Amino acid sequence: MLAAQRRARIAQVLEESGAVSVADLVESLDVSDMTVRRDLDALSAQGIATKVHGGAIATSRRSTEEPGFAAKSTQEERHKERIAAEAVRLIDAGMAVGLAAGTTTWSLARRLLTVPDLTIVTNSPQIAGVFYADPPPNSTVVLTGGVRTPSDALVGPLTVQAMKDIHLDIAFLGTHGMSERTGFTTPNMLEAETNRAIIASAAQTVLLADHTKWGLVGISTFAEFSEVSRLISTADLPQDAQRILDEEIENLVLLPAERTLGTQEAI
């Protein structure tokens, strides 16, 4: 494969997913580590990529850029479904469950339709809609108030105040990005405040994040790695990311890797 072809494929993945790792590119393109790094240098010089430790992120991904729900729901769908399938194993009948807004938590919501006797609290109209259309047996769904964000989350003082009097057995959150320097982040400061309130209301907190979130940084941190009980991701994460997360998070669950460049399907 010519260098121009490799770089075009890398640029396509960056556009679709926002991030790539050197390890994944070495395996999927069947080239050396140095070749991949030269390709990333070239894309960086063109303004297409920004190099980070272990890979690169799309230059267009700014800390306040907030994709809409529809756009995010078609990104990394296969990985999100696998993560949701693992997360649902943590939920038993009779639990009070918090589902923060996001496309991976939305995938989880669809797996709860047959779990009875749940109390589900969410700040996502999309998630509430899943249960409205086909409610689980003997369950209650609470949709908080708030200001609607571009990514379809309800945030702000109304949501924060509502969460203060709620006590959840478990809460599930997604994330815009995660990095060693910033922890878990979001591009919306009000959403960060709301996420912190959801975390504070829960006996245990589970983060759901596919490998493409590593290296992305939103404007506001809503949790340090050590503040969550569990992270469910995939072994497609770079090795250094796995090491860092394993040191900081009590329970790190990494599903088997699926490294196939250019076949990332519409978390």
Side-chain angles (χ1 to χ4, degrees), residues 164-222:
K164 286 182 178 179
D165 297 323
I166 291 175
H167 307 288
L168 302 169
D169 295 307
I170 190 168
F172 296 86
L173 298 91
T175 186
H176 171 79
M178 52 183 176
S179 76
E180 182 179 16
R181 178 176 64 86
T182 61
F184 298 106
T185 59
T186 170
N188 187 300
M189 288 186 285
L190 286 177
E191 186 164 16
E193 181 184 23
T194 298
N195 284 351
R196 286 192 287 269
I198 293 171
I199 291 170
S201 73
Q204 58 174 314
T205 301
V206 182
L207 255 291
L208 311 177
D210 69 80
H211 67 287
T212 65
K213 303 301 179 67
W214 184 258
L216 295 181
V217 176
I219 194 170
S220 186
T221 296
F222 65 85

Side-chain angles (χ1 to χ4, degrees), residues 7-264:
R7 292 166 189 174
R9 291 184 65 182
I10 296 170
Q12 181 182 0
V13 174
L14 281 167
E15 182 179 355
E16 293 173 352
S17 301
V20 292
S21 73
V22 171
D24 287 353
L25 294 175
V26 166
E27 180 171 332
S28 58
L29 294 173
D30 193 23
V31 294
S32 69
D33 181 279
M34 288 305 299
T35 296
V36 168
R37 293 184 185 279
R38 284 195 295 268
D39 288 341
L40 293 180
D41 284 338
L43 292 172
S44 178
Q46 295 172 39
I48 296 172
T50 299
K51 293 183 68 178
V52 297
H53 185 62
I57 61 175
T59 301
S60 60
R61 296 296 178 95
R62 306 301 182 187
S63 63
T64 56
E65 181 183 347
E66 188 171 4
F69 183 91
K72 291 196 296 183
S73 66
T74 60
Q75 297 172 356
E76 303 299 328
E77 186 176 12
R78 182 179 67 250
H79 293 296
K80 292 176 182 179
E81 291 295 340
R82 293 174 63 220
I83 290 169
E86 177 68 22
V88 75
R89 298 170 58 188
L90 301 172
I91 301 171
D92 296 319
M95 294 181 83
V97 180
L99 297 176
T103 53
T104 311
T105 48
W106 176 70
S107 295
L108 173 58
R110 290 180 293 167
R111 294 178 177 271
L112 297 180
L113 295 176
T114 58
V115 182
D117 304 316
L118 295 178
T119 299
I120 298 161
V121 179
T122 184
N123 67 324
S124 167
Q126 294 283 349
I127 289 174
V130 169
F131 298 114
Y132 178 79
D134 189 10
N138 302 315
S139 293
T140 300
V141 178
V142 178
L143 176 64
T144 68
V147 178
R148 207 164 187 168
T149 70
S151 60
D152 218 5
L154 298 178
V155 301
L158 285 176
T159 312
V160 171
Q161 184 60 42
M163 295 308 304
K164 286 182 178 179
D165 297 323
I166 291 175
H167 307 288
L168 302 169
D169 295 307
I170 190 168
F172 296 86
L173 298 91
T175 186
H176 171 79
M178 52 183 176
S179 76
E180 182 179 16
R181 178 176 64 86
T182 61
F184 298 106
T185 59
T186 170
N188 187 300
M189 288 186 285
L190 286 177
E191 186 164 16
E193 181 184 23
T194 298
N195 284 351
R196 286 192 287 269
I198 293 171
I199 291 170
S201 73
Q204 58 174 314
T205 301
V206 182
L207 255 291
L208 311 177
D210 69 80
H211 67 287
T212 65
K213 303 301 179 67
W214 184 258
L216 295 181
V217 176
I219 194 170
S220 186
T221 296
F222 65 85
E224 302 294 340
F225 293 153
S226 59
E227 293 180 288
V228 305
S229 313
R230 185 183 303 257
L231 169 66
I232 303 177
S233 187
T234 71
D236 299 275
L237 279 166
Q239 288 298 315
D240 63 324
Q242 295 185 33
R243 176 185 54 78
I244 292 165
L245 293 167
D246 188 49
E247 291 174 354
E248 294 288 333
I249 297 176
E250 182 179 354
N251 294 293
L252 175 63
V253 179
L254 297 178
L255 305 177
E258 291 187 0
R259 293 172 175 164
T260 308
L261 184 70
T263 62
Q264 299 176 22

